[in-house]
Amino acid sequence: MEKTPAPGENIAVLRKARGMGRARLARLGGISVSLLTRIEEGTRPATPHIVAALAKAMRVTPARIHGQPFSDETRQAELLDDLRAAVRRYTLPREDVPPPEALAAGVQRAMALRAETRYLELLDLLPRLLGQVTATALSTPGESGVWSQLVDVYGCAYAAAHRLAQPDLADMIVSRQAWAAQQTWNPEAEVATAWNEAGTYQSAGQYGDGLAIVERAIAKYERAGGGESSPAAAMSLGSLHLRGVVLASRHKDKGATADHLRRAHHHARLVPADVLRHNLTFGPANTALYELAAHIELGKPGMAVEMSDPLLRNPPPSLTPSRLGRMYIDISRARLDVRNYSGAEEALDRAFAVAPEMAEAHPMAREVVRVLFVLHQRARPTLMGMAERTGLAT
């Protein structure tokens, strides 16, 4: 298995290819030369905010810096090509209309695989399922429920494309999801689409534009009568505010972060336990996870570590593996920032246990593994195993 380049290595290669010295790139990216040096050498992680800033300075996408997370792309490439072809044929499905019960079971299966972060199984299922649900929706243009199913399946496709570092495919999927959402007359389906649309801006490092998408979706939902204090409204609006928390904190906008977080907590009080609908999770526990992540993005890892202790002792049982995996990755990053290297490794090991396919591909999980590996941790068997699984060691 070949070693996959890490973001720091990619930054150095791209910088040199553009004839840029470290001093110039650091100045354009708004960071110190010493920090850029440590990122390139692998002793500091390339965080989302830094990657976005350096990508803008070098006129490349963040995806170019993150690189391909797989050392052996053959199987993933084949499955992604099949999905890409199915998404392209969004009005020309080749599949027949299946029985309603079979279609519903397929949709539920896809949503379960997404929540469990079983992306390769999901990719294997999606092309045919997309064709089936599209054929059904096109044959019943006035049936809102079937179009909502199509929105949900596109949401699963977006999650796979996003997590497997395929931003162009993710963009195309979101456009198809928006087309399907327009046929539903279902405000919750439109919220799920807006969530993913904002996510494409988040992946591109365009945090201000992503915030504009979130605010527009919130205003549209409230104008449509979704502002009343009901669990459904709390779920929709709260989810949008959580996306706003991520975007605002990465944008280093403390005021917007606090505002979105305050409103998310308000809506969470109307949802006694975390709920998963239209591939969105919302409730008190998930809101706490976003607050923890915001502390990290805003340069307060100590507060994130303090928040993490009860979450590690008693992981929220209402959360899916996709959310728990992300929680452990964020905790590992916070512990790395405070130089608790053994604690960072412990949290990351939990992420690999509960959501292995997410941990293997997630940019921050890979960055924490890389930094720990470079910092003379090679003799630790658990860390060596994680480095080999991510392709960062051979």
Side-chain angles (χ1 to χ4, degrees), residues 125-136:
L125 172 69
L126 279 173
R128 177 174 172 78
L129 180 61
L130 263 177
Q132 289 178 327
V133 70
T134 301
T136 305

Side-chain angles (χ1 to χ4, degrees), residues 41-110:
E41 292 175 348
T43 58
R44 288 288 295 274
T47 63
H49 174 77
I50 291 175
V51 167
L54 296 180
K56 182 178 180 181
M58 293 189 289
R59 296 184 179 275
V60 299
T61 65
R64 285 284 301 279
I65 291 178
H66 286 305
Q68 170 57 249
F70 303 107
S71 55
D72 179 7
E73 301 179 32
T74 304
R75 180 58 176 156
Q76 290 86 354
E78 291 174 352
L79 293 172
L80 286 165
D81 283 346
D82 290 343
L83 176 59
R84 189 173 281 105
V87 173
R88 187 178 297 117
R89 297 193 311 269
Y90 75 108
T91 59
L92 298 170
R94 295 175 178 172
E95 289 74 14
D96 295 327
V97 175
E101 312 80 39
L103 185 64
V107 174
Q108 289 301 315
R109 174 67 174 161

Side-chain angles (χ1 to χ4, degrees), residues 80-90 130 154-155 157-158 161-162 166-180 193 196-197 200:
L80 286 165
D81 283 346
D82 290 343
L83 176 59
R84 189 173 281 105
V87 173
R88 187 178 297 117
R89 297 193 311 269
Y90 75 108
L130 263 177
Y154 273 125
Y158 169 82
H162 165 70
Q166 303 292 316
D168 291 342
L169 176 57
D171 283 346
M172 184 164 63
I173 288 169
V174 168
S175 70
R176 305 301 194 246
Q177 189 181 30
W179 163 74
T193 301
N196 289 334
E197 183 182 3
T200 64

Side-chain angles (χ1 to χ4, degrees), residues 130-155:
L130 263 177
Q132 289 178 327
V133 70
T134 301
T136 305
L138 291 174
S139 68
T140 55
E143 180 53 56
S144 174
V146 177
W147 287 95
S148 292
Q149 287 180 316
L150 184 55
V151 170
D152 289 340
V153 176
Y154 273 125

Side-chain angles (χ1 to χ4, degrees), residues 200-238:
T200 64
Y201 287 95
Q202 179 178 309
S203 298
Q206 298 171 348
Y207 305 128
D209 290 340
L211 280 169
I213 296 296
V214 166
E215 293 294 349
R216 185 174 69 187
I218 290 171
K220 182 177 180 180
Y221 187 88
E222 290 178 340
R223 283 198 305 271
E228 70 276 3
S229 298
S230 69
M235 169 80 188
S236 294
L237 292 170

